[in-house]
Amino acid sequence: MAYTSLCVTGRILHPSCPETKPKPPGDVEGSPCPHGCCTRLAPALVWISGGFLFQRIYYLSLEFYMGRTLQNTMINLGLQNACDEAIYQLGLDMEELEEIEEDAGLGNGGLGRLAACFLDSMATLGLAAYGYGIRYEYGIFNQKIRDGWQVEEADDWLRHGNPWEKARPEYMLPVHFYGRVEHAATGIKWIDTQVVLALPYDTPVPGYMNNTVNTMRLWSARAPNDFNLRDFNVGDYIQAVLDRNLAENISRVLYPNDNFFEGKELRLKQEYFVVAATLQDIIRRFKASKFGSTESVRTVFDSFPDQVAIQLNDTHPAMAIPELMRIFVDIEKLPWNKAWDITKRTFAYTNHTVLPEALERWPVDLVEKLLPRHLQIIYEINQRHLDHIAFLFPNDVDRLRRMSLIEEGGTKRINMAHLCIVGSHAVNGVAKIHSEIVKTQVFEDFAALEPEKFQNKTNGITPRRWLLLCNPGLAELIAEKIGEDYVRDLSQLTKLHKFVDDDLFIREVAKVKQENKVKFAQYLEKEYKVKINPSSMFDVHVKRIHEYKRQLMNCLHIVTMYNRKPPRAPRGQAAPGYHMAKMIIKLINAVGHVVNNDPVVGSKLKVIFLENYRVSLAEKVIPATDLSEQISTAGTEASGTGNMKFMLNGALTIGTMDGANVEMAEEAGEENLFIFGMRVEDVTELDKEGYHAQEYYNRLPELKQAIDQIRSGFFSPKEPDLFKDVVNMLFHHDRFKVFADYEAYVKCQEKVSELYLNSKAWTKMVIRNIAAAGKFSSDRTIKEYARDIWHVEPSDLKIPPPNEPRDAGEDKTPNGTAA
């Protein structure tokens, strides 16, 4: 680190400041410059033992749902117009070129897409950050709809190569599995293991117009040359080579499980594979930055948490906690207490769900077989943790059971969320209401013990992809009114409030929306052979199919509207699908088939199930949407980010008070959203009283009619009993209480239809929503993570481009791109 780039106080040096020596020990970080000229904290820098060192952030996620890269890169580098012109001069069409690129679908939905948005924001904010994950050979499956049923096809996204990545074989690392633990005089050793090699592939992540480029490093599994060659020694060379696939299967395919835990050995292998390779990489980088070499036999790790911040994106990378302890205790020979203190100060954990079936609980037997040393470490962590609880709460056996990392009874399991909470210095939910539920219900005992550990970090989306890229017409219109700085500071959208009554602006916003709808209608006609009226309302429900997201309630409303022929207002309907609920997908398609072919309804109501929903398709549908469906049962959606994308792109929201909808209503005013249904406290009360679906069925004639039609085979005449399981679930096993909110939902939809007929009033509400969307930038979210959890300051410094000379004071920046 060049000390001359810093003021004596540790602030970024002003060119005229005479203080060019490093900060003396004991000086308070952030104290004023004695000359009054250096006013900004040095981002991502810490004072350690007589020198300044980088603070690096490592974001660990099993999913990065990146989508396409070409257009996003051009926008962030400020090259889009130049590239468009160059391609035009070659006689080519840039849009056609962009459509050729495969989506990097290395995620299931919200969690993976959030990780991608966060990488964009960390680079844009000048943070020295790395994303770490798995380079799945096959991403989320390609969904085909055949005769109304979902059929999965492999997503062979790498078949033509990936021009954005660079293999880094020089940083290939071994990862160990199986084996046994040996207690020797020199310490504990994990021996007789099976080795798999982790080959890193680096993808650049450019910040927006600041010449900062961070790195996403994805690991690919490779078998070592001697893998199973003992078989060759007995003559079975062919089998030995074929068995290499067993090792390389680790990075073969993404598990298509959204909000559901599947305890498969291969999945646990994937989770350990990514954290084992990543932690070796992090420690190598730490040693290199401290000593200029990784060859030192012993390292002082006291400064490790000051230089390394590791964020666990849900519990999937939770094995990083015992793995780092294994490295510190077994390899680096640190005392347990010191190793544990460093580990806790290094990790932070983001919780993404409150659904019990989504929380990871690994069987002890499986962990013992695959990672025997890690099980011992987890047991030791748990014992010390329970000793502490027992000291604070003597004789409270029930509390010990609730807070244990090991769940007894039946199959013994490790509660990975408990491991993350105990092993981290910060735990956060992803929306205000979710974080409150995490503290008061899901992890109540832990929050009572360490309330300062629990935080909220409301999710956000990157405005570069989700406005500039996907909706250039609206982005340009906003820039004409308030300038272009809002792209880096989305809170500036509040300036649009003064244009709510501007007739010209109202017409321009409506015109942009209509152009987007026409374009999307043309796409639908081409792809689905269904013609829809671009003047009709585009009512869109895009979510992974899951009972808690309540696509079934939307479907019942469609049936109700159909039964009211002709519908009270023209509408269009689109929805995506997901593998977990094939019967729901079939039902929606069956209803769509009847509705779309009914001559009485004609063009007034169409139902289209969007096949193979993905990032690039979202970029088409979101700008064209009039009404966004966010109708989960209150208290079940952690946050949602689709709701934010729709809001920013001028769609109005119909939704429950759940997830980030609550904060959207706070920002825009509840009167500017269509809020309906039970609140969290109502759901809790209904749970106490008992939810009886039959009562709603008996009381609501339109609900009864819709259910009877589905049950009798009206929508499946060739198979009258096809949907009996769906109906049975709604009556007897519906944890998410579709019938309880049905009446309120239908009435709210009537308000939507009424307002839509008044184009001017509708567009004014749209403008109020766009003006209130500033809070939901991932830039704001990452600033909060940086300041409250990682303890670094974002930087708005723009690194000079490579072709411009740098001043000596600028030669070293907080964004070192060391491998």
Side-chain angles (χ1 to χ4, degrees), residues 185-205:
T186 53
I188 298 174
K189 294 181 179 179
W190 183 20
I191 60 173
D192 298 337
T193 57
Q194 184 186 97
V195 176
V196 176
L197 298 178
L199 173 63
Y201 286 79
D202 287 355
T203 299
V205 181

Side-chain angles (χ1 to χ4, degrees), residues 541 543 628-632 642-643 646 653-656 661 676:
H541 195 174
K543 302 278 178 192
S628 160
E629 301 265 355
Q630 309 294 330
I631 59 176
S632 54
N643 45 6
F646 284 110
T653 297
I654 182 168
T656 53
N661 291 357
F676 72 92

Side-chain angles (χ1 to χ4, degrees), residues 249-425:
N249 279 343
I250 291 173
S251 60
R252 193 80 69 199
V253 64
L254 167 75
Y255 270 84
N257 295 321
D258 189 60
N259 282 301
F260 182 76
F261 168 60
E262 190 171 1
K264 299 289 181 66
E265 181 174 337
L266 179 59
R267 175 65 172 181
L268 182 56
K269 273 188 174 180
Q270 289 181 338
E271 294 184 358
Y272 178 67
F273 173 76
V274 69
V275 302
T278 298
L279 285 175
Q280 289 181 73
D281 215 33
I282 289 172
I283 288 172
R284 173 191 61 79
R285 197 176 284 118
F286 168 77
K287 289 182 176 181
S289 66
K290 192 169 181 64
F291 301 105
S293 167
T294 59
E295 299 302 318
S296 54
V297 178
R298 293 294 300 274
T299 303
V300 177
F301 282 94
D302 298 42
S303 65
F304 192 79
D306 299 313
Q307 288 183 251
V308 174
I310 302 177
Q311 191 71 35
L312 304 175
N313 193 27
D314 216 0
T315 56
H316 310 142
M319 290 305 295
I321 293 170
E323 171 66 4
L324 187 58
M325 284 297 291
R326 185 186 71 83
I327 292 170
F328 282 159
V329 174
D330 293 359
I331 299 172
E332 301 293 343
K333 306 301 181 186
L334 268 62
W336 178 279
N337 288 342
K338 185 170 187 177
W340 182 241
D341 175 64
I342 294 170
T343 296
K344 281 186 68 172
R345 287 165 54 209
T346 299
F347 285 109
Y349 159 56
T350 300
N351 174 274
H352 282 277
T353 182
V354 299
L355 298 179
E357 66 267 30
L359 296 173
E360 290 193 305
R361 294 174 167 90
W362 285 105
V364 164
D365 290 347
L366 177 58
V367 176
E368 185 173 34
K369 170 189 168 188
L370 195 67
L371 303 166
R373 177 57 181 146
H374 296 76
L375 181 62
Q376 292 180 352
I377 291 170
I378 291 169
Y379 273 141
E380 180 70 17
I381 292 170
N382 191 44
Q383 187 60 55
R384 290 168 183 254
H385 163 64
L386 292 180
D387 288 346
H388 179 59
I389 303 300
F391 174 77
L392 295 174
F393 304 95
N395 304 317
D396 193 342
V397 178
D398 196 47
R399 185 183 297 268
L400 290 174
R401 178 188 56 77
R402 294 195 308 266
M403 296 185 73
S404 176
L405 274 56
I406 310 296
E407 296 181 350
E408 307 285 348
T411 304
K412 286 176 68 172
R413 297 179 181 274
I414 303 167
N415 187 314
M416 303 308 279
H418 288 185
L419 174 62
C420 286
I421 293 169
V422 170
S424 299
H425 70 274

Side-chain angles (χ1 to χ4, degrees), residues 611-637:
E611 184 180 77
N612 200 33
Y613 189 67
R614 58 205 182 278
V615 174
S616 57
L617 182 52
E619 291 164 6
K620 293 180 176 68
V621 66
I622 289 172
T625 297
D626 291 306
L627 186 70
S628 160
E629 301 265 355
Q630 309 294 330
I631 59 176
S632 54
T633 311
T636 60
E637 183 73 86

Side-chain angles (χ1 to χ4, degrees), residues 16 99 124 134 143 167 325 352 405 512 566 584 638 688 694 730 800:
S16 63
E99 286 296 319
T124 297
I134 294 180
Q143 179 199 55
M325 284 297 291
H352 282 277
L405 274 56
V512 167
I584 295 175
K688 289 178 183 174
Q694 188 74 37
L730 286 169

Side-chain angles (χ1 to χ4, degrees), residues 1-174:
M1 181 66 210
Y3 294 157
T4 51
S5 64
L6 297 168
C7 167
V8 65
T9 60
R11 293 171 180 266
I12 292 178
L13 183 69
H14 190 278
S16 63
C17 182
E19 302 286 351
T20 58
K21 59 183 182 295
K23 183 176 78 169
D27 219 27
V28 179
E29 183 74 69
S31 59
C33 174
H35 306 279
C37 55
C38 304
T39 56
R40 196 145 30 83
L41 278 172
L45 292 170
V46 287
W47 174 260
I48 300 295
S49 306
F52 287 102
L53 295 170
F54 291 130
Q55 165 80 318
R56 292 188 172 102
I57 296 123
Y58 299 97
Y59 197 82
L60 270 61
S61 179
L62 268 285
E63 300 181 21
F64 286 98
Y65 207 168
M66 303 300 288
R68 292 170 175 166
T69 298
L70 175 60
Q71 191 179 0
N72 189 75
T73 300
M74 290 190 298
I75 286 172
N76 279 12
L77 297 181
L79 297 173
Q80 191 170 28
N81 291 338
C83 290
D84 285 351
E85 179 62 26
I87 292 296
Y88 175 77
Q89 294 291 342
L90 291 171
L92 301 172
D93 184 290
M94 180 58 89
E95 278 196 30
E96 287 183 12
L97 186 65
E98 289 164 354
E99 286 296 319
I100 292 171
E101 184 178 0
E102 296 280 350
D103 276 56
L106 308 186
N108 280 286
L111 179 141
R113 185 53 233 172
L114 181 78
C117 285
F118 278 4
L119 292 186
D120 179 274
S121 286
M122 287 189 278
T124 297
L125 292 169
L127 294 170
Y130 300 78
Y132 276 98
I134 294 180
R135 181 182 178 266
Y136 300 104
E137 193 174 325
Y138 296 92
I140 187 65
F141 60 86
N142 284 326
Q143 179 199 55
K144 301 293 181 186
I145 301 297
R146 301 208 176 111
D147 192 29
W149 293 100
Q150 172 174 288
V151 178
E152 300 90 25
E153 293 182 355
D155 172 34
D156 191 10
W157 73 288
L158 290 170
R159 64 186 176 278
H160 300 304
N162 176 12
W164 302 105
E165 69 182 8
K166 177 175 173 53
R168 303 299 297 272
E170 66 273 29
Y171 293 111
M172 191 152 56
L173 295 165

Side-chain angles (χ1 to χ4, degrees), residues 526-541:
K526 177 186 172 189
E527 295 294 325
Y528 296 90
K529 309 298 183 272
V530 177
K531 189 165 187 172
I532 63 173
N533 181 358
S535 298
S536 66
M537 182 195 301
F538 285 18
D539 177 350
V540 176
H541 195 174

